[in-house]
Each structure stands twice: as structure tokens, then as C-alpha cells.
């Protein structure tokens, strides 16, 4: 009894000193890149750091949104063909990485399909299956082989009047890299960022003072839920424990329409111009680089489990969910 009351008194004291049992944290939310983005930062100066990260995300949205006519990307897409266009250092770097990755994936990841995906109109009110003729016509002159990069001049050229860039397959991943970089610049050690299907965690989740009395470590891994396809948002099929890194999911349930009992979703097979059909409903990738994880999940979704097997080497973890809705860990 004596021991109990001493322990209780100690607990109470800890509570009083700490002002509570939860670690200090700050959350900021913004609607950017067509999705809700949430940044949770632990420790001191959380608000200042989270605000700076949101400013950076806003900047990237304004640069990379192909549907915003004022973005750098949209201005490039509207530029005359066969004319080298000088672009920012950052956009050039992203395009170079995207084009390299296109080669690496045998063309499965292609950031120059906007003319094709626009015909489908995913996400808009008029989304519908395009007629085969315009679809094939657009496809025959789309793809990164019709984009020319010149590194020394830092220019990019459209090689015909149709080809247009769409960085939707990597923008949120790169945004996650940048947001984490900014938080670190502000001295943040622990944070969790959810950029709409792209999750980044850093430094593990701090234990509450109460928990830290029982644990040697000061943090534990974050638990990241993997969305169950076609279930209400937040219903999870599985979860991943991670202290540092990026968890990115590409799924057929993100943006789609249905017609004649078929689902047409937003991830295109660059060979056909039609939504990729490999029997997968989602692919989740864990990696230490957000942009790479984002590109990998999209490419693996297009290639499917067998053809994508070699790419899984670049991932810490790969989880696929097929029609059975049972998560399968291909790696990790
Ligand atoms: P994610 O959700 O990261 O898999 O990216 C899907 C987005 O990437 C789409 O909304 C398009 O903007 C773009 N996209 C679609 N198909 C491809 C593809 N085969 N390669 C690269 N980007 C694509
Ligand atoms: Mg992606």
C-alpha cells in the first residue's frame, strides 16, 4: 500500500510537471495538389516549422500543377513545339529524374502522357472512355521520347504539338521530400506527414512522458495504416511500422469512373493508353526517398507483381493488394 501510494504520488508529480502526458505536438492542414495534406510535428517550434513546410508545399503546387494555367509546368505544356524552353533548375531536375526512371522501367512510368489522360478526364465531371481514334492518335505522339532535355542549356523541348507533361506520378513524393527537408532545417526531430496517400515519417513517434517512464527509448515507430481498397476512407487492410522513411500507395480506387460494369482508373499503361490492368488494386512502397517511392509505386502498379519484380530491389517494403483484398508483402 505504501509502495502504491508512493508510485501514485510520483505519477501525479510527473503529470503536474509535464502539464499532461502527451508529447507536445502541432498539426497543420492544407488542401494542396488536389488532396488534404496534414503535417504533425512533435517538439518545440512545431508551428513555425509546419507553417514553413506548408509554404514550401504551396510553392510546389503552384509550380507542378499541370491543370493550373499559371504553373511553370502548364506554361511549358502550352509552349510551341520544337522550341527549347528554359525551365527552372528544380523543374529540370525533376524531369531528368522522371525521364531516367521511364527508361529504367521500360516505359511503364511515363511523365508525358497528359494529352492521353486528358481525353479520359479522370477526376472531372466529364470523365468518360475516349473514342479509340483520338486516343490512339494522342498516344502515338505522347510519351517522354517526344520530350528533349538539354542539360547544359537547361532547356526542355516538346517535339510535337500534342505531347504534354504530367508530374502527378511523382509530385506528392517530391513534396514529401521537401517538406521533411524544411522541417529538419527548423530543427524538428519527429514528425508525421500525410500528403494524401504519400506518408512521410521522421524520428519516430515520441513517447508520452508517462510511457517513457517504462521504456528505454524515447520514441517508437509510427504505425501507418494501409487503406483497404474500395472501403470507406480510414478502413485499413494492414499497417506498416516505421520510424523514418516514406510510405506511398498507388491505387485504382483513388480516381476512377465506372461504365458498363468496368472500372477505369487514373494510372495509365503507356503502351495502350488505357488504365493499367494487372489485377492489382493497390501497391504500397516503403523507401528512404519520397519521390523515388512515389515513382516506384506508380510503376509497380503499371507493371504488376511479376514484371515489376526487379524494381522491388529498390524498395524496403512492397505490399500489394489484389482483388482478394488480402495484403501480400512482396518484400520487407
Ligand atoms: P500515383 O497516384 O502516384 O500512382 O500517380 C497517379 C498519377 O500519375 C495520375 O493521376 C497521373 O497524373 C500520373 N500517371 C498516370 N499514369 C502514369 C504512368 N504510367 N506513369 C507516370 N505517371 C502516370
Ligand atoms: Mg506515384
Amino acid at each position: 500500500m505504501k509502495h502504491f501510494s508512493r508510485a501514485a504520488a510520483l505519477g501525479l508529480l510527473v503529470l503536474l510537471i509535464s502539464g499532461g502526458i502527451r508529447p507536445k505536438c502541432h498539426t497543420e492542414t492544407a488542401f494542396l495538389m488536389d488532396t488534404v495534406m496534414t503535417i504533425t510535428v512533435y517538439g518545440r517550434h512545431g508551428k513555425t516549422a509546419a507553417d514553413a513546410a506548408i509554404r514550401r508545399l504551396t510553392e510546389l503546387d503552384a509550380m507542378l500543377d499541370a491543370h493550373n494555367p499559371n504553373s511553370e509546368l502548364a506554361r511549358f505544356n502550352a509552349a510551341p513545339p520544337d522550341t527549347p524552353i528554359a525551365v527552372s533548375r528544380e523543374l529540370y531536375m525533376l524531369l531528368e529524374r522522371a525521364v531516367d526512371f521511364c527508361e529504367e522501367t521500360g516505359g511503364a512510368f511515363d511523365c508525358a502522357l497528359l494529352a492521353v489522360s486528358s481525353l479520359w478526364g479522370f477526376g472531372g465531371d466529364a470523365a468518360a472512355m475516349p473514342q479509340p481514334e483520338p486516343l490512339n492518335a494522342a498516344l502515338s505522339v505522347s510519351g517522354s521520347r517526344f520530350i528533349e532535355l538539354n542539360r547544359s542549356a537547361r532547356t526542355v523541348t516538346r517535339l510535337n504539338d500534342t505531347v504534354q507533361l504530367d508530374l502527378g506520378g511523382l509530385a506528392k513524393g517530391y513534396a514529401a521530400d521537401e517538406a521533411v527537408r524544411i522541417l529538419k532545417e527548423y530543427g524538428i526531430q519527429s514528425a508525421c506527414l500525410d500528403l494524401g496517400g504519400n506518408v512521410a515519417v521522421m524520428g519516430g513517434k515520441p513517447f508520452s512522458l508517462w510511457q517513457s517512464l517504462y521504456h528505454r527509448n524515447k520514441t517508437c515507430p509510427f504505425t501507418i495504416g494501409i487503406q483497404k481498397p474500395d472501403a470507406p476512407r480510414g478502413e485499413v487492410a494492414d499497417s506498416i511500422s516505421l520510424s523514418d522513411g516514406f510510405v506511398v500507395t498507388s491505387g485504382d480506387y483513388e480516381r476512377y469512373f465506372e461504365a458498363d460494369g468496368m472500372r477505369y482508373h487514373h494510372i495509365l499503361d503507356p503502351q495502350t493508353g488505357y488504365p493499367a490492368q494487372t489485377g492489382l488494386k493497390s501497391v504500397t512502397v516503403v523507401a528512404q526517398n519520397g519521390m523515388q517511392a512515389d515513382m516506384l509505386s506508380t510503376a509497380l502498379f503499371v507493371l504488376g507483381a511479376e514484371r515489376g519484380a526487379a524494381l522491388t530491389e529498390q524498395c524496403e517494403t512492397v505490399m500489394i493488394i489484389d482483388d482478394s483484398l488480402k495484403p501480400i508483402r512482396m518484400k520487407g
Side-chain angles (χ1 to χ4, degrees), residues 33-34 122-123 172 251-257 264-266:
M33 298 188 175
D34 218 13
F122 299 110
K172 283 186 269 170
D252 77 347
Y253 53 86
E254 291 288 348
R255 211 169 289 167
Y256 66 90
F257 64 89
Y264 298 98
H265 60 78
H266 67 142

Side-chain angles (χ1 to χ4, degrees), residues 6-67:
R6 208 180 281 167
L10 182 68
L12 193 62
L13 190 67
V14 169
L15 274 179
L16 287 175
I17 292 170
S18 66
I21 55 170
R22 284 173 187 282
K24 195 173 166 57
C25 81
H26 180 82
T27 299
E28 283 294 330
T29 300
F31 188 80
L32 293 166
M33 298 188 175
D34 218 13
T35 191
V36 178
M37 299 192 164
T38 307
I39 299 184
T40 302
V41 177
Y42 295 87
R44 282 149 47 105
H45 310 304
K47 177 159 172 48
T48 318
D51 283 347
I54 296 278
R55 278 199 299 279
R56 180 71 183 119
L57 294 174
T58 309
E59 235 172 66
L60 288 173
D61 187 20
M63 177 183 167
L64 302 176
D65 180 0
H67 300 290

Side-chain angles (χ1 to χ4, degrees), residues 22-332:
R22 284 173 187 282
K24 195 173 166 57
C25 81
H26 180 82
T27 299
E28 283 294 330
T29 300
F31 188 80
L32 293 166
M33 298 188 175
D34 218 13
T35 191
V36 178
M37 299 192 164
T38 307
I39 299 184
T40 302
V41 177
Y42 295 87
R44 282 149 47 105
H45 310 304
K47 177 159 172 48
T48 318
D51 283 347
I54 296 278
R55 278 199 299 279
R56 180 71 183 119
L57 294 174
T58 309
E59 235 172 66
L60 288 173
D61 187 20
M63 177 183 167
L64 302 176
D65 180 0
H67 300 290
N68 167 2
N70 295 320
S71 72
E72 187 181 3
L73 195 66
R75 279 186 276 119
F76 171 80
N77 284 337
D82 300 316
T83 311
I85 304 294
V87 298
S88 64
R89 197 175 292 280
E90 190 164 37
L91 182 57
Y92 190 87
M93 178 275 289
L94 294 177
L95 291 179
E96 204 171 54
R97 279 182 66 185
V99 169
D100 284 352
F101 194 67
C102 181
E103 250 173 58
E104 218 179 305
T105 56
F109 184 94
D110 197 317
C111 67
L113 296 177
L114 187 65
V116 178
S117 58
S118 297
L119 294 175
W120 288 92
F122 299 110
D125 295 335
M129 182 143 86
Q131 292 299 317
E133 292 80 18
L135 183 75
N136 289 329
L139 186 64
S140 66
V141 285
S142 287
S144 22
R145 66 186 190 282
F146 295 108
I147 294 289
E148 193 172 84
L149 300 181
N150 182 327
R151 185 186 268 200
S152 52
R154 214 205 299 141
T155 57
V156 189
T157 308
R158 300 171 68 209
L159 296 181
N160 64 58
D161 202 9
T162 301
V163 67
Q164 289 186 319
L165 297 170
D166 165 19
L167 297 183
L170 61 82
K172 283 186 269 170
Y174 177 64
D177 286 327
E178 282 297 287
V180 165
R181 183 179 67 76
I182 299 283
L183 294 181
K184 285 184 177 162
E185 260 179 32
Y186 276 77
I188 299 299
Q189 289 177 345
S190 281
C192 176
L193 302 84
D194 182 353
L195 311 188
N198 283 235
V199 173
V201 290
M202 54 184 269
K205 184 176 180 180
F207 279 130
S208 64
L209 272 179
W210 195 236
Q211 288 168 314
S212 61
L213 290 177
Y214 297 97
H215 298 272
R216 213 174 258 191
N217 294 338
K218 291 212 161 46
T219 63
C220 59
F222 288 97
T223 304
I224 298 131
I226 306 305
Q227 174 68 37
K228 185 170 188 182
D230 302 334
R233 249 209 209 257
E235 196 172 313
V236 300
D238 203 341
S239 64
I240 286 176
S241 285
L242 190 70
S243 290
D244 283 284
F246 298 82
V247 184
V248 179
T249 300
S250 290
D252 77 347
Y253 53 86
E254 291 288 348
R255 211 169 289 167
Y256 66 90
F257 64 89
E258 277 170 343
D260 306 327
M262 281 285 287
R263 172 176 297 191
Y264 298 98
H265 60 78
H266 67 142
I267 304 176
L268 295 179
D269 180 340
Q271 283 194 334
T272 64
Y274 282 76
Q277 277 186 315
T278 46
L280 297 182
K281 298 207 61 82
S282 78
V283 176
T284 298
V285 164
V286 179
Q288 286 305 313
N289 180 283
M291 177 169 159
Q292 195 70 10
D294 199 356
M295 294 196 297
L296 280 163
S297 66
T298 307
L300 283 167
F301 190 95
V302 172
L303 289 168
E306 270 172 41
R307 285 168 61 217
L311 279 184
T312 62
E313 294 299 316
Q314 296 183 33
C315 314
E316 282 177 19
T317 303
V318 180
M319 188 189 288
I320 57 173
I321 300 183
D322 61 14
D323 287 328
S324 73
L325 295 187
K326 288 210 179 69
I328 302 162
R329 281 190 190 236
M330 279 178 70
K331 186 173 178 196

